[in-house]
Amino acid sequence: MFKKLWVCSALLCTGLSFAQQTKIESLDSVVLIDSKFELKRENSGKVVTKISAKDLEKSAGLTIPDLINKVSGIEINGTRSTDGQNLGYYVRGGRNRQVLILVDGVQLSDPSSIANDFDLRLLPLDQVASIEIVKGASSTLYGSGAATAVINITTKTPKDKKISLQLQSTLGTNQSQNDQDYDIAQFDNSVGVSGKLSKFDYQVNFSNRYSENMSSINSEDETVQFEDDPFSKYNVYARLGYKISDQLKFYFYGNYDKFNADYDDSFMYADANNELESRQVRTGSHWVATYKNGSFIFSDSYTESKRQIFSDYPSKYDSKVYAFDAYNKYVFNDKFHTVLGVNGVFSSFNSYSIPFGESNFKQTVSEDVADFDIVDPYVNVVYISGTGLNVNAGTRLNIHSEYGSNLVYSLNPSYSFKLGANSLKALTSYSTAYITPSLYQLFDSSYGNTELDPEESSTFEIGLELNTNAFNMNYSLVYFNRNTKNFIDFVTVDPENYISEYQNIGEEFNASGLEFEFSLDPIENLSLTGNYTYTKAEERFALRIPEHKINLKAGYQISDKSYTSLSYQFNDDRTDNFYNNETFANETVVLESYGILDFYYSHQVSDHLKVFAGVDNIFNTEFQELYRYTTRGRNARLGIALNF
């Protein structure tokens, strides 16, 4: 009875839920990621997406992948499955290794992972101040891996008072389409303390998330119920800064992030007591020295990651990576914005497994062998004519300890027109990218191949962005085309003996598409936003990528204190591969299209207290993100946020 009353109360109080959809900003707004300068959007040659602090305030109970999954051109597979589901970053028909994740401007990675990618499941949303996303090749500014997108996550800064306290707690259901009992099975809690004392500033955050009540894999027999696969995560972040003078300031920080995720047997699609434990410790610093017309910035991070798999085939991985970015920004005559810098990444990893018939771990890969260094000098110039023409150009020399030198470059002209009170920006770009194989792909004892060559890609873009005063309407349309050489794929070389390894594919891989975004305010307090993405990838490489994807959102400011929204996401048919246990072969299956409707409501009770609630997948739509894996049905959440 209590469970039914709880969900009915949530529905009556809100009737609403939320799915993130960012609004296109005006051409006067400021962007940073595509040039490392704070430039007006009209002077940027890219359509940069920014998830602002205001957007994040309306996202309590969601995750960072949930939010990014609403951006045009992006499909983060796994966001609507169990919390422990591995995430696939499919941007413009690309893969995880082609997306670069930055936190406060420094790239993060895990050298022991297959794709050398950073796991977004580790980061908590409550520590984030904003997220900037630029799509297309950005290797000239950000190095290897920045082939389809760069996602820069900026963490919160200390509050401007002696002491500030933030508390947030969310309760919710966590259930599939076939389980609608509305048990409270998801918990999110966070606490943050920050402030400024004279020239010092400080910040400490703690957060945790726990969910249960769902199995990672579905049973084909509806009479058989698989066991729950719970997920738990906690994060600790601390920062201490000092302002030496108006021209020189710095801060040091430290992170500890850990999650445990139970999962089932994906080979036999059977219930299993498998568990993944993932931990990372990250420390670093950020220094800024300013002078007339310029500044020097140094950022670095040192990360140790450890993953352990508890299953019938136990294994352990640990990796170390040190990354730094040092660059000088200087402005000549208010027209030339220049960046001259050096970026370095130093990586290594170890792996361990238990041989058949034994009980103790033995090392299979040693960091004495599995390591490489990348040190890249780079230069970037932005020219702002003042009459509408803008040019962003750059080049980088990749110096790799295994692969020698490789040059990448970009050219990104744009032109802004004034059409009365309206603004139109035309843009185009051509850029190249360089993606080195991961240490896992090179040195793993079972599947590694030291003969791999780096991937190389080139991306062409052309588009328009229109801002009008009528109804505050904003539109953008971008066409992209990316060509990839030396694509690295997992290949079976001896089917009879089940021998596979990573290899470069001889043929070239092409992906192209369109991205359309819009936002408008048709009447006072009502905002409409949306995007449509068309992605055409060659069939062999189109795994789990929808050809058509739509996001729509209507938000209404009921009063100064109350806000509500209704949002919808459509994903087209996608293909997936699975191993058929009867035919002993990999087969392709088509996952049907689906659409999901969500609602959200929030109310500012007082200066210090806000309440919020939501219902996701209102119509309890059945769908699959991955073949045979469980997805979320209708779910509700209710929470409070306190600020002092």
Side-chain angles (χ1 to χ4, degrees):
M1 176 65 71
F2 173 77
K3 293 183 293 186
K4 306 298 183 184
L5 288 174
W6 182 86
V7 73
C8 288
S9 298
L11 289 168
L12 288 172
C13 289
T14 68
L16 301 172
S17 162
F18 172 95
Q20 173 72 24
Q21 174 56 51
T22 55
K23 185 173 183 178
I24 301 176
E25 299 178 25
S26 71
L27 293 183
D28 290 329
S29 62
V30 174
V31 297
L32 179 69
I33 189 172
D34 70 327
S35 65
K36 295 193 175 182
F37 273 96
E38 291 188 350
L39 298 177
K40 287 185 178 181
R41 191 181 180 99
E42 66 177 316
N43 297 325
S44 168
K46 295 280 190 176
V47 177
V48 179
T49 299
K50 184 171 184 178
I51 303 174
S52 66
K54 186 175 293 186
D55 297 321
L56 294 172
E57 288 177 2
K58 301 169 183 176
S59 307
L62 300 180
T63 65
I64 293 174
D66 288 333
L67 305 186
I68 297 174
N69 196 35
K70 302 297 182 181
V71 174
S72 65
I74 297 180
E75 165 64 16
I76 298 189
N77 191 265
T79 57
R80 293 194 179 275
S81 301
T82 60
D83 281 338
Q85 178 59 53
N86 291 330
L87 300 176
Y89 310 150
Y90 302 125
V91 181
R92 291 184 168 181
R95 294 292 185 268
N96 288 42
R97 63 178 176 271
Q98 298 164 324
V99 177
L100 189 64
I101 309 293
L102 309 176
V103 173
D104 294 327
V106 180
Q107 61 258 59
L108 299 183
S109 61
D110 181 356
S112 71
S113 68
I114 294 174
N116 195 39
D117 55 328
F118 180 76
D119 193 339
L120 284 172
R121 290 176 294 179
L122 284 164
L123 290 179
L125 184 62
D126 64 273
Q127 295 177 10
V128 177
S130 65
I131 302 173
E132 266 190 313
I133 302 168
V134 62
K135 286 160 288 183
S138 300
S139 281
T140 54
L141 276 177
Y142 298 105
S144 175
T148 61
V150 174
I151 300 172
N152 184 32
I153 299 169
T154 302
T155 58
K156 293 179 178 177
T157 57
K159 299 291 184 180
D160 192 15
K161 56 183 181 180
K162 289 184 178 180
I163 185 168
S164 173
L165 175 66
Q166 296 84 42
L167 300 166
Q168 185 168 290
S169 184
T170 307
L171 301 176
T173 61
N174 188 52
Q175 56 197 13
S176 66
Q177 294 87 351
N178 298 323
D179 174 18
Q180 292 291 294
D181 290 335
Y182 298 99
D183 296 309
I184 300 176
Q186 185 166 292
F187 308 86
D188 284 275
N189 298 284
S190 66
V191 57
V193 179
S194 68
K196 293 184 179 180
L197 300 169
S198 185
K199 295 185 177 182
F200 286 94
D201 61 65
Y202 66 92
Q203 184 169 309
V204 179
N205 294 86
F206 172 82
S207 64
N208 76 283
R209 182 182 180 95
Y210 179 80
S211 62
E212 57 182 1
N213 203 42
M214 285 178 64
S215 170
S216 64
I217 289 180
N218 268 323
S219 171
E220 286 191 320
D221 185 349
E222 294 184 0
T223 65
V224 177
Q225 183 69 40
F226 283 179
E227 292 182 352
D228 292 352
D229 291 312
F231 174 88
S232 64
K233 175 177 74 171
Y234 65 86
N235 311 83
V236 180
Y237 172 78
R239 160 181 161 159
L240 181 63
Y242 185 71
K243 183 178 180 180
I244 299 174
S245 66
D246 290 338
Q247 289 74 41
L248 181 60
K249 57 184 178 180
F250 66 89
Y251 66 80
F252 294 95
Y253 66 89
N255 279 77
Y256 181 75
D257 308 302
K258 177 183 177 182
F259 74 76
N260 291 77
D262 284 14
Y263 66 97
D264 293 324
D265 185 347
S266 60
F267 187 73
M268 299 298 295
Y269 295 103
D271 198 19
N273 294 319
N274 300 331
E275 182 184 354
L276 167 65
E277 179 183 277
S278 180
R279 292 179 290 167
Q280 75 161 13
V281 177
R282 182 163 50 92
T283 62
S285 65
H286 182 76
W287 303 73
V288 179
T290 58
Y291 57 94
K292 185 179 180 180
N293 296 337
S295 60
F296 177 79
I297 295 94
F298 176 84
S299 301
D300 72 339
S301 72
Y302 173 75
T303 305
E304 291 190 3
S305 301
K306 293 186 178 182
R307 292 182 293 119
Q308 183 164 356
I309 295 172
F310 302 89
S311 69
D312 291 337
Y313 305 95
S315 57
K316 296 192 298 184
Y317 304 88
D318 66 71
S319 65
K320 301 172 184 175
V321 57
Y322 175 73
F324 74 86
D325 193 12
Y327 57 97
N328 187 79
K329 302 193 299 185
Y330 191 82
V331 180
F332 292 92
N333 301 323
D334 295 326
K335 291 184 180 294
F336 291 94
H337 295 65
T338 63
V339 174
L340 181 65
V342 178
N343 180 205
V345 181
F346 306 87
S347 308
S348 65
F349 97 100
N350 300 290
S351 68
Y352 309 83
S353 64
I354 298 177
F356 181 76
E358 299 186 22
S359 57
N360 296 321
F361 279 101
K362 288 190 176 180
Q363 189 163 9
T364 54
V365 177
S366 170
E367 62 184 355
D368 294 334
V369 175
D371 76 314
F372 59 55
D373 307 331
I374 308 174
V375 179
D376 299 349
Y378 63 93
V379 61
N380 199 78
V381 178
V382 177
Y383 170 67
I384 301 174
S385 68
T387 60
L389 175 65
N390 309 290
V391 180
N392 187 336
T395 187
R396 172 185 288 246
L397 182 64
N398 298 115
I399 305 174
H400 196 286
S401 60
E402 295 289 328
Y403 296 109
S405 301
N406 185 79
L407 190 71
V408 294
Y409 60 90
S410 65
L411 180 62
N412 177 205
S414 61
Y415 199 93
S416 296
F417 304 84
K418 290 294 184 181
L419 304 174
N422 307 319
S423 300
L424 176 67
K425 180 173 70 175
L427 60 94
T428 186
S429 70
Y430 182 83
S431 50
T432 62
Y434 177 76
I435 308 163
T436 61
S438 69
L439 288 172
Y440 183 97
Q441 292 169 333
L442 287 169
F443 298 108
D444 181 70
S445 58
S446 298
Y447 309 117
N449 179 5
T450 56
E451 301 300 317
L452 288 174
D453 292 323
E455 287 184 8
E456 298 179 36
S457 68
S458 58
T459 300
F460 170 74
E461 293 177 294
I462 187 168
L464 294 171
E465 186 171 354
L466 174 66
N467 286 245
T468 69
N469 286 338
F471 304 113
N472 194 24
M473 291 189 293
N474 305 288
Y475 304 92
S476 71
L477 178 66
V478 175
Y479 166 80
F480 66 88
N481 188 296
R482 186 180 69 260
N483 190 69
T484 302
K485 300 178 181 179
N486 296 331
F487 187 87
I488 298 174
D489 204 0
F490 188 67
V491 178
T492 300
V493 295
D494 186 352
E496 292 184 0
N497 295 304
Y498 303 102
I499 298 176
S500 302
E501 68 175 10
Y502 290 95
Q503 291 187 356
N504 294 105
I505 305 301
E507 63 264 32
E508 296 183 5
F509 162 48
N510 184 267
S512 59
L514 289 169
E515 297 166 358
F516 173 71
E517 301 182 24
F518 75 89
S519 66
L520 70 154
D521 303 326
I523 61 174
E524 187 177 2
N525 297 328
L526 175 65
S527 63
L528 303 176
T529 59
N531 62 61
Y532 163 75
T533 302
Y534 169 76
T535 305
K536 185 61 176 178
E538 294 180 19
E539 185 176 351
R540 176 175 179 177
F541 305 102
L543 185 74
R544 300 172 189 160
I545 299 172
E547 188 170 353
H548 304 277
K549 184 172 181 179
I550 298 171
N551 290 288
L552 299 171
K553 176 187 167 187
Y556 188 69
Q557 194 71 43
I558 301 171
S559 67
D560 291 340
K561 296 184 177 180
S562 298
Y563 172 83
T564 186
S565 67
L566 169 67
S567 57
Y568 173 78
Q569 183 182 89
F570 170 80
N571 275 269
D572 197 14
D573 292 346
R574 293 135 289 120
T575 58
D576 201 356
N577 288 337
F578 72 100
Y579 181 77
N580 191 319
N581 298 313
E582 296 179 356
T583 63
F584 304 103
N586 286 319
E587 297 184 11
T588 299
V589 63
V590 175
L591 305 179
E592 294 183 359
S593 62
Y594 65 92
I596 292 179
L597 190 66
D598 301 334
F599 291 87
Y600 172 83
Y601 175 82
S602 67
H603 180 71
Q604 192 74 40
V605 179
S606 67
D607 291 341
H608 303 293
L609 173 64
K610 183 175 75 172
V611 296
F612 53 87
V615 180
D616 300 327
N617 193 1
I618 293 173
F619 296 118
N620 199 34
T621 301
E622 292 193 21
F623 64 98
Q624 292 186 89
E625 282 191 297
L626 297 91
Y627 179 68
R628 290 286 307 276
Y629 280 78
T630 308
T631 51
R632 291 190 175 97
R634 183 189 301 113
N635 281 281
R637 67 184 183 276
L638 182 67
I640 61 170
L642 296 168
N643 293 275
F644 299 97

